[in-house]
């Protein structure tokens, strides 16, 4: 089966700065993968190229064998590091928005998760805590996608919220899909990962199963 992500000589520069340097990488289906590295290592640039938000300077990335575009947007469910939702929107408005935009979004599952988290659908985003905002956004991206890309989903939230968010990631996403979880908080996520990709200075310096990283 074709890997869900294929990078071939993927390079991205900003003037003289090299953000990604000749990355060759295959990510298989049905895995929880940590995209790890310090801030500024190139993680978010790689994610944006996968989502079609940036174009590479050289090389290519394929999502399920297809170049990023309209078709791949239905294969990917993306949680960016910074929210793109209007702070004045109510939670129920966001749920309706995602149902209208994505045919694979399940409103029943979203409302079930909101109820279990005791999040009121009538609440406005701006009135929610940081941890609750992250939970709402995770509910919104739990579509029936092939690839979930989560950019720093646990940054800036308290440890209890981190535990719940990680549990949500593992339990509520589509079976046989791949979850690509970008973070610099390695210790918090290592117990849920099947494999890790470690990036530094725009290059992949490690790609291995988690059983190898502990040795």
């Amino acid at each position: 089966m074709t890997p869900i992500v294929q990078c071939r000589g993927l390079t991205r520069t900003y003037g003289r700065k090299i953000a990604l340097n000749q990355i060759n990488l295959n990510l298989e289906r049905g895995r929880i993968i940590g995209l790890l590295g310090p801030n500024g290592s190139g993680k978010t640039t790689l994610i944006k190229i996968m989502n079609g938000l940036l174009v590479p300077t050289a090389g290519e990335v394929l999502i399920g064998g297809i170049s990023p575009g309209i078709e791949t947007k239905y294969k990917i469910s993306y949680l960016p590091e910074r929210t793109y939702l209007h702070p004045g929107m109510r939670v129920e408005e966001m749920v309706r928005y995602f149902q209208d935009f994505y045919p694979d979004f399940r409103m029943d599952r979203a409302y079930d998760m909101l109820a279990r988290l005791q999040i009121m659908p009538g609440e406005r985003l701006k009135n929610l805590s940081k941890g609750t905002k992250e939970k709402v956004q995770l509910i919104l991206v739990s579509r029936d996608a092939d690839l979930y890309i989560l950019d720093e989903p646990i940054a800036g939230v308290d440890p209890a919220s981190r535990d719940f968010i990680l549990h949500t990631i593992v339990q509520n996403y589509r079976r046989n899909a791949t979850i690509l979880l970008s973070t610099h908080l390695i210790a918090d996520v290592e117990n849920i990962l099947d494999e890790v990709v470690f990036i530094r200075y725009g290059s992949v310096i490690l790609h291995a199963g988690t059983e190898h990283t502990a040795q």
Side-chain angles (χ1 to χ4, degrees), residues 16-47:
R16 294 184 178 181
K17 177 179 172 56
I18 301 175
L20 297 176
N21 186 18
Q22 292 285 320
I23 286 182
N24 295 295
L25 180 68
N26 285 342
L27 302 181
E28 301 298 334
R29 298 170 187 266
R31 307 285 282 172
I32 302 177
I33 303 168
L35 180 61
L36 310 178
N39 290 332
S41 59
K43 302 189 302 296
T44 296
T45 297
L46 177 58
I47 284 172

Side-chain angles (χ1 to χ4, degrees), residues 11-12 46 56 63 77 80 93-94 115 130 139 156 164 189 191:
T11 300
R12 172 71 192 198
L46 177 58
I63 306 298
S77 189
E93 293 173 333
M94 300 174 203
K130 171 71 173 176
I139 290 170
F164 183 87
V189 301
N191 64 326

Side-chain angles (χ1 to χ4, degrees), residues 17-159:
K17 177 179 172 56
I18 301 175
L20 297 176
N21 186 18
Q22 292 285 320
I23 286 182
N24 295 295
L25 180 68
N26 285 342
L27 302 181
E28 301 298 334
R29 298 170 187 266
R31 307 285 282 172
I32 302 177
I33 303 168
L35 180 61
L36 310 178
N39 290 332
S41 59
K43 302 189 302 296
T44 296
T45 297
L46 177 58
I47 284 172
K48 287 183 176 180
I49 291 175
M50 289 181 184
N51 280 282
L53 301 175
L54 290 174
V55 296
T57 305
E60 67 174 352
V61 62
L62 301 175
I63 306 298
I66 303 170
S67 296
I70 293 175
E71 188 173 351
T72 62
K73 290 186 184 301
Y74 292 99
K75 297 178 179 290
I76 297 174
S77 189
Y78 172 42
L79 176 65
E81 181 179 6
R82 296 181 180 178
T83 183
Y84 52 89
L85 300 169
H86 191 282
M89 291 182 72
R90 299 182 188 276
V91 173
E92 60 193 359
E93 293 173 333
M94 300 174 203
V95 171
R96 288 198 301 270
Y97 176 82
F98 270 69
Q99 185 190 41
D100 290 343
F101 199 79
Y102 294 106
D104 59 359
F105 182 80
R106 287 179 49 189
M107 181 177 280
D108 59 336
R109 180 167 59 188
Y111 272 102
D112 176 67
M113 292 173 70
L114 288 171
R116 286 192 283 118
L117 290 171
Q118 299 182 329
I119 299 173
M120 299 301 294
E123 284 282 0
R124 296 189 187 275
L125 189 66
K126 64 183 179 182
N127 296 330
L128 302 178
S129 68
K130 171 71 173 176
T132 303
K133 288 177 184 176
E134 293 288 354
K135 292 172 186 176
V136 170
Q137 291 181 103
L138 281 168
I139 290 170
L140 294 174
V141 297
S142 59
R143 298 165 29 222
D144 289 334
D146 294 324
L147 174 63
Y148 300 92
I149 301 179
L150 312 176
D151 193 0
E152 297 285 358
I154 59 173
V157 300
D158 61 87

Side-chain angles (χ1 to χ4, degrees), residues 150-211:
L150 312 176
D151 193 0
E152 297 285 358
I154 59 173
V157 300
D158 61 87
S161 292
R162 287 180 193 173
D163 289 344
F164 183 87
I165 287 168
L166 294 175
H167 177 78
T168 301
I169 291 169
V170 173
Q171 297 295 324
N172 291 284
Y173 292 154
R174 182 180 179 182
R175 185 174 295 180
N176 297 325
T178 292
I179 299 171
L180 183 63
L181 175 63
S182 170
T183 184
H184 64 280
L185 300 170
I186 300 173
D188 290 280
V189 301
E190 59 184 353
N191 64 326
I192 71 166
L193 301 178
D194 297 314
E195 59 189 82
V196 295
V197 176
F198 197 93
I199 296 182
R200 192 172 187 180
Y201 301 126
S203 298
V204 174
I205 62 172
L206 175 69
H207 180 200
T210 51
E211 68 275 11

